[in-house]
């Protein structure tokens, strides 16, 4: 009888993830909620597993993959419970014949909801006003009390028009917003019409938008896509929203732009050196800061966890994983 495969789950994930894995193999799991193993601990535990179920906060680099590829049993697959996979050295995995999968699609609506929530929160100063009330400072209505910016009929600029960007555009239509977008690949005319999108070069988008929302993947080409020059092009009344990846924004440049009142504010769910945040941002009332929760609804996280497990099960059963990032490993 063949030995059951060994599966490592690196962090505490929704309960729905475990039964499919336990059906096919022996599961070793980090069950302490919120605990992220340091890299050296991950490197110690990883080798000797057939499959690894990981998350975006796990560093799956070439050194780790090589150690797992040279161990017995040999690592066959890394299943990432995230749409992004910049935490994994996919090139090294492919060279070593290790499959990599992700969990796209299921989090798009939930992330778009949060992006729009951030936009409204920072525009209408909702967190700032809520802190004011909790501090016992509310003494009655006033004509200038926490006046903010209107969202309806404003211009929204989307950097990235993939799944999430297009869904944000759908949300914006309910607020009768004009929506510009910039992407490396322009959408077909019929998609632009469906989502009421108008293409604009990046500089033009930055100059014209009242809100700029980032929905691009993190790649070498998007590192610090928004830096000092780009921020200087924005209106002094404009807001920057980021629910994509932190390093897309030069965080120090953002701090300087906010301090100089080059832009009106920002709403951030991700950070350049996450979980570290530029200290100045923590002191600013015109910045809304969230702890990377864009996909954090029960339904969505359950779907993501189950999708990651199903990718492993499919590979184990000799089927093509539904969300395989590097199909060339299958030959």
């Amino acid at each position: 009888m063949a030995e059951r495969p060994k599966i490592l789950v690196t962090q505490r994930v929704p309960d729905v993830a475990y039964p499919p894995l336990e059906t096919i193999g022996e599961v070793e799991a980090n069950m302490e909620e919120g605990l992220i193993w340091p890299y050296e601990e991950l490197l110690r535990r990883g080798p000797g597993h057939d499959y690894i179920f990981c998350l975006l906060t796990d560093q799956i680099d070439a050194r780790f993959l090589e150690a797992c590829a040279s161990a017995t049993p040999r690592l066959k697959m890394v299943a990432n419970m995230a749409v992004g996979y910049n935490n994994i050295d996919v090139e090294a995995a492919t060279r070593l014949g290790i499959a990599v999968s992700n969990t796209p699609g299921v989090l798009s609506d939930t992330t778009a909801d949060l992006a729009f929530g951030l936009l409204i929160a920072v525009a209408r100063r909702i967190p700032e006003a809520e802190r004011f009330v909790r501090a016992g400072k509310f003494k009655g209505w006033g004509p200038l009390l926490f006046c903010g910016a209107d969202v309806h009929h404003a211009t929204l600029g989307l950097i990235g028009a993939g799944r999430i960007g297009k869904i944000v555009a759908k949300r914006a239509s309910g607020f009768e917003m004009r929506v510009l977008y910039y992407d490396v690949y322009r959408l077909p005319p019929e998609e632009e019409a469906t989502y009421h999108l108008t293409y604009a070069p990046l500089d033009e988008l930055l100059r014209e938008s009242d809100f700029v929302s980032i929905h691009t993947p993190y790649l070498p080409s998007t590192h610090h896509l928004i830096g000092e020059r780009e921020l200087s092009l924005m209106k002094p009344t404009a807001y920057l929203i980021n629910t994509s990846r932190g390093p897309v924004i030069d965080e120090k440049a953002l701090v300087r732009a906010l301090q100089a009142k080059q832009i009106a504010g920002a709403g951030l769910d991700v950070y350049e050196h996450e979980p570290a945040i530029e200290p100045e941002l923590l002191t600013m009332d015109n910045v809304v800061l969230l702890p990377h929760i864009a996909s954090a609804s029960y339904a969505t996280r359950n779907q993501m966890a189950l999708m990651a497990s199903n990718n492993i099960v499919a590979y184990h059963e000799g089927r093509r994983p539904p969300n395989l990032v590097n199909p060339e490993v299958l030959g």
Side-chain angles (χ1 to χ4, degrees):
M1 183 175 178
E3 188 174 346
R4 283 160 62 81
K6 293 181 170 61
I7 305 165
L8 179 67
V9 182
T10 62
Q11 296 183 43
R12 181 77 169 90
V13 296
D15 290 342
V16 296
Y18 302 105
L21 300 177
E22 290 164 349
T23 298
I24 65 164
E26 303 301 326
V27 178
E28 177 190 345
N30 173 0
M31 298 301 287
E32 188 171 339
E33 189 166 351
L35 174 63
I36 300 172
W37 286 330
Y39 178 74
E40 292 300 327
E41 178 72 5
L42 192 64
L43 187 62
R44 184 182 72 81
R45 290 177 178 268
H49 289 89
D50 297 88
Y51 302 104
I52 292 178
F53 180 128
C54 68
L55 290 95
L56 198 61
T57 42
D58 295 314
Q59 184 183 347
I60 310 296
D61 61 8
R63 178 188 173 198
F64 177 86
L65 291 166
E66 285 164 1
C68 292
S70 60
T72 302
R74 189 180 192 280
L75 181 63
K76 299 175 179 66
M77 181 179 184
V78 177
N80 209 37
M81 187 183 138
V83 62
Y85 45 87
N86 51 287
N87 59 311
I88 302 171
D89 188 332
V90 177
E91 184 178 340
T94 304
R95 171 172 50 83
L96 294 164
I98 299 168
V100 176
S101 68
N102 66 338
T103 60
V106 295
L107 50 69
S108 300
D109 279 285
T110 303
T111 300
D113 286 350
L114 188 99
F116 219 87
L118 263 177
L119 186 156
I120 294 172
V122 70
R124 296 300 307 272
R125 303 172 65 182
I126 292 172
E128 186 183 356
E130 200 258 1
R131 291 192 295 269
F132 179 85
V133 172
R134 286 185 182 275
K137 297 178 181 179
F138 179 48
K139 305 302 179 186
W141 180 88
L144 300 178
L145 186 64
F146 288 106
C147 286
D150 279 329
V151 174
H152 62 84
H153 298 107
T155 297
L156 171 63
L158 300 174
I159 300 178
R163 289 189 186 96
I164 297 169
K166 284 183 281 196
I167 295 171
V168 172
K170 287 174 67 176
R171 306 288 187 267
S173 66
F175 286 79
E176 300 182 78
M177 300 179 85
R178 173 191 179 215
V179 186
L180 306 177
Y181 83 97
Y182 166 76
D183 203 306
V184 175
Y185 302 104
R186 185 166 178 173
L187 297 172
E190 56 272 21
E191 280 199 72
E192 291 184 345
T194 297
Y195 294 99
H196 306 289
L197 290 166
T198 301
Y199 177 81
L202 181 59
D203 286 5
E204 180 183 332
L205 180 149
L206 293 168
R207 289 191 187 99
E208 293 195 21
S209 297
D210 300 301
F211 301 92
V212 174
S213 189
I214 302 174
H215 303 285
T216 182
Y218 180 58
L219 304 165
S221 59
T222 61
H223 181 78
H224 285 188
L225 180 66
I226 302 300
E228 190 167 351
R229 188 189 78 84
E230 291 74 22
L231 290 160
S232 72
L233 297 176
M234 292 176 65
K235 299 177 182 180
T237 54
Y239 298 86
L240 182 65
I241 311 298
N242 190 14
T243 54
S244 63
R245 291 289 178 262
V248 174
I249 296 176
D250 179 341
E251 214 162 272
K252 290 187 181 298
L254 174 60
V255 166
R256 292 192 294 269
L258 289 163
Q259 289 173 333
K261 298 187 182 344
Q262 286 183 318
I263 65 173
L268 307 174
D269 185 49
V270 289
Y271 308 94
E272 184 173 359
H273 303 291
E274 195 170 311
I277 303 172
E278 287 295 319
E280 294 91 342
L281 291 173
L282 299 169
T283 69
M284 296 178 176
D285 283 331
N286 60 338
V287 180
V288 178
L289 304 172
L290 299 179
H292 200 151
I293 58 169
S295 64
S297 75
Y298 289 114
T300 294
R301 290 283 169 86
N302 281 341
Q303 288 182 70
M304 291 169 68
L306 191 56
M307 182 180 287
S309 290
N310 286 340
N311 280 319
I312 290 174
V313 172
Y315 187 97
H316 177 70
E317 292 179 346
R319 295 181 285 114
R320 179 192 174 105
N323 308 109
L324 188 63
V325 169
N326 55 345
E328 54 269 42
V329 299
L330 298 183

